[in-house]
Amino acid sequence: MNSFESEVRQLGFSSIAGIDEAGRGPLAGPVVAAAVILPHDYINGDIRDSKILTPLKRERIYETIKNDALSIGLGVVEPDVIDDINILRATLLAMEKAVLDLSTPADYLLIDGRDTINLSIPQKPIIKGDSLSISVAAASIIAKVSRDRMMDEFHLKFSEYNFIKNKGYGTREHRDAIKKYGYCEIHRKSFKVRI
């Protein structure tokens, strides 16, 4: 999980940020990206792609990353912006915001996926990066837990959609709630809903 970081360090870079997002596919809520700079040669076997971790384990590892990381940045793009510019552009914008939110500037970016972002910092996109890079995996956990917590807060305001359970994804229950109550203010109106 450290091979990409090691390669980049051999090129002379020292402040390497892993970047990933959460919430690209849901029908409601923001898309959230995280940028994480870990210490040099950092090892933690528990850090892996957030999607294969249980919510409880994700929460625990989230706290470890928050304690151990040199810097963490978060970028959030709201549903109305997603509707205006499309989800791909919104995702890349969230990633840019996450990098700009770092308290320690990054001099190289490892980005999950196939796209680069609109910053002049050297960067490398890595398909399945959250399974291959510890920095990207850490970012995936920070982004996922941060977004899940936001959706838990939205549940308090819009409990009829059960966001605390579905996190905005298009489950049968969520689609039935949209059919019954219509959209709320955090739904992505540009996303097609199969009712």
Side-chain angles (χ1 to χ4, degrees):
M1 289 286 278
N2 279 300
S3 60
F4 283 101
E5 287 80 358
S6 297
E7 283 174 26
V8 171
R9 283 206 170 83
Q10 286 171 12
L11 297 173
F13 298 98
S14 59
S15 187
I16 302 161
I19 302 161
D20 200 3
E21 53 72 31
R24 198 164 168 163
L27 304 176
V31 61
V32 176
V36 177
I37 301 174
L38 295 172
H40 182 63
D41 288 337
Y42 181 78
I43 295 172
N44 184 327
D46 289 334
I47 296 176
R48 56 193 69 210
D49 176 4
S50 66
K51 293 184 288 296
I52 64 172
L53 299 170
T54 65
L56 198 63
K57 192 155 193 185
R58 263 198 309 264
E59 285 281 345
R60 187 174 58 74
I61 299 167
Y62 170 92
E63 295 302 333
T64 300
I65 296 166
K66 290 276 277 190
N67 288 331
D68 294 351
L70 300 177
S71 186
I72 294 174
L74 211 61
V76 179
V77 174
E78 301 298 344
D80 58 332
V81 178
I82 294 170
D83 288 336
D84 285 345
I85 67 174
N86 80 40
I87 187 59
L88 173 59
R89 288 170 65 199
T91 300
L92 299 177
L93 177 59
M95 290 179 168
E96 288 173 34
K97 288 182 168 194
V99 173
L100 296 173
D101 189 50
L102 288 164
S103 58
T104 303
D107 62 9
Y108 200 95
L109 310 177
L110 296 173
I111 305 170
D112 184 60
R114 60 182 74 246
D115 298 296
T116 55
I117 59 177
N118 190 26
L119 293 173
S120 59
I121 305 165
Q123 51 195 278
K124 180 183 185 69
I126 307 168
I127 294 170
K128 297 196 185 304
D130 48 9
S131 302
L132 300 171
S133 157
I134 190 169
S135 301
V136 176
S140 80
I141 293 165
I142 295 292
K144 174 69 174 153
V145 172
S146 298
R147 186 182 186 279
D148 283 356
R149 290 178 177 182
M150 291 174 196
M151 295 308 294
D152 292 349
E153 289 291 317
F154 284 127
H155 175 77
L156 301 177
K157 188 174 181 184
F158 307 108
S159 59
E160 61 269 30
Y161 300 98
N162 204 11
F163 291 141
I164 201 164
K165 184 177 177 192
N166 62 52
K167 308 304 184 200
Y169 284 88
T171 62
R172 165 54 62 195
E173 177 193 39
H174 184 187
R175 296 196 314 272
D176 287 347
I178 293 171
K179 188 175 182 181
K180 183 174 181 181
Y181 302 108
Y183 288 127
C184 75
E185 67 189 58
I186 69 159
H187 277 103
R188 302 172 183 180
K189 316 299 190 294
S190 59
F191 278 43
K192 286 193 170 40
V193 182
R194 291 190 333 274
I195 305 290

